[in-house]
Amino acid sequence: MATITLETLRKEYDRGRVVAVDDLSLEVDDGEFITVVGPSGCGKSTTLRMVAGLESPSDGTIRIGDEDVTEQSARTRDVAMVFQNYALYPHKTVMQNMAFGLRMSTDLSKDEREARVRETASMMGIEDLLDDKPDELSGGQKQRVALGRAIVREPDVFLFDEPLSNLDAKLRTTMRTEIQRLQNEFGITSLYVTHDQEEAMTMGDRIVILKDGKLQQVGRPKDVYENPANEFVGGFVGSPSMNFVDVTLDREGDSTVLVADDGPFSYELSDDFAAHLRDEISEPAVRVGIRPEDITTTTTTDDSKAIRTTVEVVEPIGSDNYLHLDVAPDFIARVDSGVEPSAGDSIRVTFDESDLHVFDKQTGESLLYRESKQTAAPVQ
Ligand code: ADP
């Protein structure tokens, strides 16, 4: 087992015209499962491929445990990679596929290799597949074999590159749990790349969010969800996405109210919250974020914390309804399926002020972000 340390890791292509990974620093604890997520082209795969040794950095260092592996070839690094396309040898049986890596990386005898493959296969519940060839297997079985082939080597580090993208939704959920169980059982330090924020949130001990090659935030899924460092992270993590409204902090007599530049949003803050916010902001025009699931409908007659709005569309998803509201463009409230207004209805919605996120309109940085909560490594 091992830690992974990236120090200002950089990868440029095309003589510096493309910066795929922009001075990324990250420490992964021994046995930790880190998910790396971000939109297509944000540098996830390039990062992973540099850790694997398949791509050499333009600058920066990579350490596995205490060893600087930056200049080492892929072959000499003790990492195992699991890819989206399984990368199994079509003419070899499952046993031969799983044993192949062991032949390359250990001096075990054939019998010892086979014994180890059988042991791993039985722990993974794939011992019945050992004599099959890849084209006799389903997608899920192929990915289990690819995982087994990585596990049997007992590497220091697991690297996963979108391993579940080819599977259907139900199997993806099953495999997520299975990968987590195996990773937990073997305690192998893992970097797991995905473009799917839900996968990243449900699987990672910590989640790393990248955009344009730059680290946006690293933290436990719950902390990142509750306390996004910037507007991008707020919008990227969570489904449906966070709602954003441009507002101005207004004084109205004794009270402080957030009033939308456009549309019906108006919300009175408590004195404490208003004072706290005033301490953090340099100008009254800010962008607030509020998650769809933090919004509820209300029948209160007190308008100070309720927003009167028109329902544009009701989108039922089974357990909940998504209400598209005319508060701002793409503004959605996620409410219980029992709440069923019709399109065109006038309703009031509200939320708790502690669920408000406040961002700088120019930089997108969170104005209420507390860094200390984010950087703590998980307790093992
Ligand atoms: P992701 O995995 O997040 O989708 P990648 O790491 O594959 O992103 O790519 C990051 C950026 O680097 C993208 O803009 C991509 O076009 C660019 N890139 C990746 N590989 C190469 C390459 N071999 N040559 C030039 N540009 C590349």
Side-chain angles (χ1 to χ4, degrees):
M1 291 211 283
T3 54
I4 306 171
T5 311
L6 311 182
E7 268 171 18
T8 54
L9 191 63
R10 189 174 184 84
K11 181 65 182 179
E12 297 177 358
Y13 291 111
D14 220 359
R15 279 180 263 126
R17 275 193 285 270
V18 177
V19 181
V21 178
D22 195 348
D23 297 344
L24 175 65
S25 295
L26 177 69
E27 280 190 39
V28 184
D29 285 346
D30 192 14
E32 195 177 13
F33 194 102
I34 290 268
T35 49
V36 182
V37 69
S40 176
C42 72
K44 305 179 294 288
S45 294
T46 307
T47 303
L48 202 73
R49 291 171 60 79
M50 286 194 282
V51 178
L54 301 172
E55 203 76 69
S56 54
S58 310
D59 211 347
T61 48
I62 303 168
R63 265 196 288 279
I64 296 179
D66 293 332
E67 199 173 354
D68 184 339
V69 300
T70 319
E71 304 295 329
Q72 275 185 17
S73 69
R75 198 176 285 264
T76 52
R77 298 184 195 189
D78 197 3
V79 303
M81 210 156 162
V82 181
F83 300 93
Q84 174 180 350
N85 61 7
Y86 323 123
L88 299 173
Y89 295 105
H91 303 299
K92 294 187 194 294
T93 62
V94 168
M95 165 62 88
Q96 288 163 341
N97 263 289
M98 286 178 68
F100 186 72
L102 283 178
R103 209 170 95 201
M104 296 286 117
S105 62
T106 65
D107 48 15
L108 296 175
S109 71
K110 185 163 184 286
D111 286 349
E112 286 168 329
R113 289 198 300 267
E114 290 197 1
R116 212 151 115 184
V117 169
R118 278 185 207 290
E119 190 187 339
T120 306
S122 105
M123 282 182 72
M124 297 185 64
I126 54 170
E127 61 271 48
D128 293 347
L129 307 179
L130 286 173
D131 296 329
D132 292 348
K133 298 256 177 74
D135 66 3
E136 297 170 79
L137 306 177
S138 69
Q141 288 172 330
K142 280 185 201 157
Q143 196 51 286
R144 282 196 179 87
V145 172
L147 257 177
R149 182 181 53 181
I151 286 173
V152 76
R153 286 179 45 199
E154 299 175 6
D156 278 343
V157 168
F158 268 149
L159 302 174
F160 296 93
D161 194 358
E162 305 249 5
L164 307 183
S165 307
N166 282 349
L167 307 179
D168 64 48
K170 188 159 181 288
L171 194 53
R172 247 189 349 248
T173 314
T174 316
M175 288 299 290
R176 269 186 209 168
T177 320
E178 189 152 328
I179 290 177
Q180 281 177 297
R181 178 181 70 79
L182 291 166
Q183 196 272 340
N184 237 313
E185 211 160 294
F186 290 89
I188 300 173
T189 313
S190 301
L191 269 184
Y192 184 108
V193 160
T194 174
H195 65 276
D196 179 342
Q197 63 89 24
E198 188 185 309
E199 198 165 290
M201 293 288 279
T202 51
M203 293 183 78
D205 293 327
R206 283 189 299 157
I207 169 170
V208 167
I209 298 139
L210 299 180
K211 180 187 172 223
D212 299 335
K214 290 194 183 67
L215 178 67
Q216 302 295 305
Q217 189 166 7
V218 51
R220 294 181 223 199
K222 186 169 181 292
D223 291 339
V224 171
Y225 172 85
E226 287 177 354
N227 194 13
N230 59 37
E231 190 182 326
F232 173 78
V233 174
F236 191 77
V237 162
S239 177
S241 284
M242 182 180 275
N243 299 300
F244 296 103
V245 186
D246 286 345
V247 298
T248 303
L249 194 62
D250 263 1
R251 270 265 160 86
E252 289 179 7
D254 287 344
S255 48
T256 307
V257 184
L258 291 170
V259 182
D261 301 350
D262 192 16
F265 187 100
S266 166
Y267 188 89
E268 185 177 329
L269 300 175
S270 70
D271 292 345
D272 281 354
F273 194 93
H276 176 51
L277 192 54
R278 258 188 241 106
D279 283 347
E280 303 293 332
I281 65 179
S282 53
E283 53 176 302
V286 292
R287 182 163 296 146
V288 292
I290 179 81
R291 294 199 178 279
E293 53 275 32
D294 291 332
I295 301 172
T296 52
T297 54
T298 175
T299 52
T300 176
T301 50
D302 173 10
D303 262 350
S304 65
K305 284 182 185 293
I307 299 152
R308 196 187 292 265
T309 174
T310 306
V311 179
E312 291 172 333
V313 175
V314 179
E315 199 184 345
I317 61 150
S319 58
D320 295 324
N321 284 334
Y322 294 170
L323 309 182
H324 295 249
L325 305 172
D326 77 343
V327 175
D330 303 318
F331 193 101
I332 295 178
R334 180 176 186 156
V335 295
D336 195 86
S337 60
V339 181
E340 299 176 282
S342 303
D345 283 359
S346 177
I347 61 168
R348 288 153 185 258
V349 292
T350 190
F351 51 87
D352 199 278
E353 69 181 4
S354 63
D355 292 325
L356 264 178
H357 303 267
V358 184
F359 304 100
D360 185 297
K361 271 168 80 169
Q362 261 68 47
T363 65
E365 295 303 309
S366 168
L367 296 164
L368 300 177
Y369 174 59
R370 295 284 168 273
E371 185 148 21
S372 57
K373 265 174 81 177
Q374 304 299 313
T375 46
V379 180
Q380 295 286 313

